[in-house]
């Protein structure tokens, strides 16, 4: 299935910070067909560094989508039944307006003049896209990690626009540890002299800083066990230590490779803005009263966590589940056994598929009966 | 995986293996709110959704079983019965079901109290430890009974509290749990004579 990224433009969007972006563009892809009464649409929301290309083979680069193992004919998000939409988030760098976009007022990239955005802003722009596609109510919003935050935000901000949500490996508010790792990434970027206060678009980008940020990120996405299995203490193309600071260990080589590869596809300023949006994320706006946040919502929930995920640990999902239970919400929950750490929702998909399929089928049945 | 494996709930649920399910199905009014504690793979709840249009919720501790329950469309969550009930508001459900699980809970009395708090009624079914086959096994072997009803060795049994029908009646009397109805089963037939000796399974409707 070869897919092309499309784009929609809107005159403006009002942001949580009080600022307004004029105009705003959103990149998106769709898979499958929207049915006659527009009742089979599912929005898939991507994690931090993801993009609109969730499934199929991209027309330009010939690459599979980031959740191609979950979206397609007969897969968890079965495109023979459902119309699946994925868009790049606000503040991103893969087609949706972000700090690297041209500010029409100046003719130059926004860079650090781009307004600080929130998860709710991302979701507001997604809602504008859904409106423009003629979809009144989504069958489901589903995503992992930051995608899960967006799914939760949909249920709270637009409860009448979404029948069900599948938040995976996520949290209802960013924790101190999550903020801490993001801050290390941001400081690595800003400490790189090439960052130049964000004005690097006509110069050399802060590749070293961004690469270090990505290395830290990658560590948090894996688990002690998955790293032990994948790398152990194996040396990289050598029999003994080099007694220097070149690459000795396989794991060093892997992290450097991932870091360098990331630089070619991601904008450092987007890294700053999106991590900030994650850190500001708190469904309760600081009150801590999660039950209040969910009270307006009669959305169905399928909450999924993974046993070895230490970046978004299972207890954070369980907090969501407990509160939904307290308000007698419709919630299904499973803590899936996996060694892959936070990355599990992208790679360990057999059991996740089983859950998602059954949940979507029963949601569709309920929608039809209602 | 083939694309036509998608409609789990419409698979016929075999209730024959679990005669107490038939009784439970008989008790529950259509359209009611039902919580099944220890729902396993969600067979009973799926059957109730399909045949009684209930609003179904399930709790199950085993991840593999929760997965299967969710896959067949039941809103089940992975959690511990002994702790999990505390979160629910009072009278959140019309029926709270504890099917063949009371003998596996750590604090049965606490679970029963909580069931009657979150549910308007409670349905409790359990294997009868007073059944003659259990008595006979114990009498003749002098060992922890291993029977059709209690098929486990003592060291790997999930059952940690053994109770007979008379034990349960006593507990209800002492604790003030109002018994609305009682059903005694041997296989799938009803038992009316000497239930504590002849019934394999008891189903109580409390509330």
């Amino acid at each position: 299935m070869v897919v092309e990224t499309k784009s929609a433009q809107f005159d403006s969007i009002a942001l949580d910070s009080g600022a307004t972006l004029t105009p705003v563009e959103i990149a998106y892809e769709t898979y499958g067909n929207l049915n006659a009464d527009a009742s089979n649409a599912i929005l898939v929301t991507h994690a931090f560094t993801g993009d609109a290309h969730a499934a199929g083979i991209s027309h330009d680069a010939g690459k599979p989508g980031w959740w191609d193992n979950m979206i397609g004919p007969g897969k968890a998000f079965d495109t023979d039944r459902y119309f699946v939409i994925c868009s790049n988030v606000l503040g991103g760098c893969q087609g949706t307006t972000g700090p690297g976009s041209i500010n029409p007022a100046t003719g130059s990239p926004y860079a650090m003049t781009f307004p600080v955005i929130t998860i709710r802003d991302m979701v507001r722009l997604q809602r504008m896209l859904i409106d423009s596609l003629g979809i009144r109510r989504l069958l489901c919003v589903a995503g992992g990690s930051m995608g899960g935050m967006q799914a939760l935000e949909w249920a709270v901000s637009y409860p009448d626009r979404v029948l069900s949500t599948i938040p995976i490996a996520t949290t209802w508010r960013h924790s101190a540890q999550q903020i801490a790792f993001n801050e290390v990434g941001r400081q690595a970027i800003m400490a790189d002299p090439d960052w130049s206060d964000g004005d690097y678009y006509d110069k050399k980008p802060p590749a070293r800083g961004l690469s270090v940020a990505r290395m830290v990120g990658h560590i948090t996405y894996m688990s002690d066990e998955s790293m032990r299995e994948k790398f152990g203490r194996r040396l990289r193309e050598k029999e003994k230590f080099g007694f220097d600071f070149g690459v000795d260990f396989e794991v060093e080589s892997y992290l450097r490779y991932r870091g360098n590869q990331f630089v070619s596809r991601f904008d450092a300023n987007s890294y700053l803005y999106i991590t900030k949006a994650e850190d500001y994320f708190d469904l309760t706006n600081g009150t801590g009263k999660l039950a209040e946040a969910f009270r307006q919502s009669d959305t169905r929930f399928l909450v999924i966590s993974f046993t070895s995920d230490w970046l978004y640990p299972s207890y954070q999902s369980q907090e969501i589940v407990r509160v939904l239970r307290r308000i007698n919400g419709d919630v299904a929950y499973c803590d899936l056994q996996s060694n892959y750490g936070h990355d599990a929702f992208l790679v360990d998909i057999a059991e996740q598929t089983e859950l998602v399929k059954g949940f979507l089928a029963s949601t569709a049945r309920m929608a039809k009966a209602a | 995986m083939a694309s036509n494996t998608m409609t789990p709930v419409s698979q016929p649920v075999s209730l024959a293996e679990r005669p107490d399910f038939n009784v439970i199905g008989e008790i529950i009014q259509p359209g009611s709110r039902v919580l099944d504690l220890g729902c396993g793979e969600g067979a009973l709840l799926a059957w109730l959704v399909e045949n009684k249009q209930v609003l179904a919720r399930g709790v199950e501790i085993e991840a593999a079983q929760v997965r299967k329950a969710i896959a067949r469309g039941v809103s089940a969550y992975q959690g511990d019965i002994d702790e999990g009930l505390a979160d629910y508001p009072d009278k959140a459900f019309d029926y709270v079901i504890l099917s063949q699980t009371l003998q596996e809970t750590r604090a049965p009395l606490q679970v029963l109290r909580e069931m009657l708090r979150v549910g308007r009624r409670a349905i409790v079914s359990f294997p009868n430890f007073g059944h003659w086959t259990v008595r006979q096994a114990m009498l003749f072997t002098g060992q922890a009974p291993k029977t059709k009803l209690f098929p486990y060795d003592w060291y790997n049994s999930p059952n940690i509290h053994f109770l007979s029908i008379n034990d349960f009646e006593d507990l209800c009397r002492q604790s003030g749990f109002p018994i609305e109805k009682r059903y005694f089963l041997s296989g799938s037939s009803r038992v009316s004579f000497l239930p504590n000796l002849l019934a394999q399974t008891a189903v109580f409707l409390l509330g």
Side-chain angles (χ1 to χ4, degrees), chain A residues 74 78 81-82 300 302 322 325-326 328-336 351 354-355 357-359 361-362 365, chain B residues 1-3 5-7 9 57 63 66-68 70-78 84 87-89 92-93:
Chain A
D78 186 349
R81 290 167 174 250
Y82 308 115
R300 292 189 89 200
L302 168 60
R322 286 192 66 166
R325 228 156 60 197
R326 213 169 295 155
N328 216 1
D330 186 348
V331 56
Y333 167 68
C334 197
D335 191 27
L336 292 178
E351 294 175 347
E354 192 184 357
L355 295 181
K357 267 193 176 184
F359 179 77
S362 61
R365 266 196 308 274
Chain B
M1 194 176 288
S3 60
T5 56
M6 289 266 319
T7 43
V9 160
R57 305 278 185 270
V66 177
R67 239 170 46 222
K68 293 210 174 93
I70 297 172
R72 58 165 24 126
V74 169
S75 292
Y77 74 84
Q78 193 180 347
D87 290 326
Y88 286 111
F93 296 95

Side-chain angles (χ1 to χ4, degrees), chain A residues 217-235:
Chain A
H218 255 287
I219 298 166
T220 66
Y221 305 152
M222 293 186 279
S223 71
D224 181 40
E225 190 164 356
S226 69
M227 289 179 89
R228 197 165 57 230
E229 268 172 25
K230 194 166 180 169
F231 313 110
R233 287 180 53 81
R234 275 203 321 280
L235 300 180

Side-chain angles (χ1 to χ4, degrees), chain A residues 233-298:
Chain A
R233 287 180 53 81
R234 275 203 321 280
L235 300 180
R236 175 76 182 170
E237 290 169 356
K238 54 174 78 165
E239 300 289 304
K240 47 193 175 190
F241 296 158
F243 290 97
D244 58 23
F245 290 91
V247 167
D248 277 320
F249 295 98
E250 200 67 66
V251 65
E252 295 172 321
S253 162
Y254 174 82
L255 288 177
R256 288 189 196 194
Y257 169 75
R258 282 311 186 110
N260 291 334
Q261 200 192 35
F262 186 60
V263 167
S264 62
R265 72 171 178 92
F266 211 81
D267 177 36
N269 285 340
S270 275
Y271 197 107
L272 302 181
Y273 277 89
I274 295 175
T275 53
K276 188 52 98 173
E278 287 183 326
D279 292 350
Y280 281 176
F281 180 67
D282 175 352
L283 267 187
T284 70
N285 295 318
T287 68
K289 292 181 177 155
L290 189 55
E292 295 301 313
F294 281 129
R295 208 163 298 269
Q296 300 303 316
S297 179
D298 58 359

Side-chain angles (χ1 to χ4, degrees), chain B residues 156-169:
Chain B
N156 65 8
S157 173
N159 303 323
I160 53 176
H161 290 104
F162 295 96
L163 72 158
S164 69
I165 289 170
N166 288 355
D167 288 325
F168 190 76
E169 296 260 4

Side-chain angles (χ1 to χ4, degrees), chain B residues 91-106:
Chain B
K91 308 299 171 205
F93 296 95
D94 297 310
Y95 300 97
V96 180
I97 302 172
L98 188 66
S99 160
Q100 307 276 19
T101 309
L102 183 64
Q103 72 282 2
E104 297 178 16
T105 58
R106 279 195 304 276

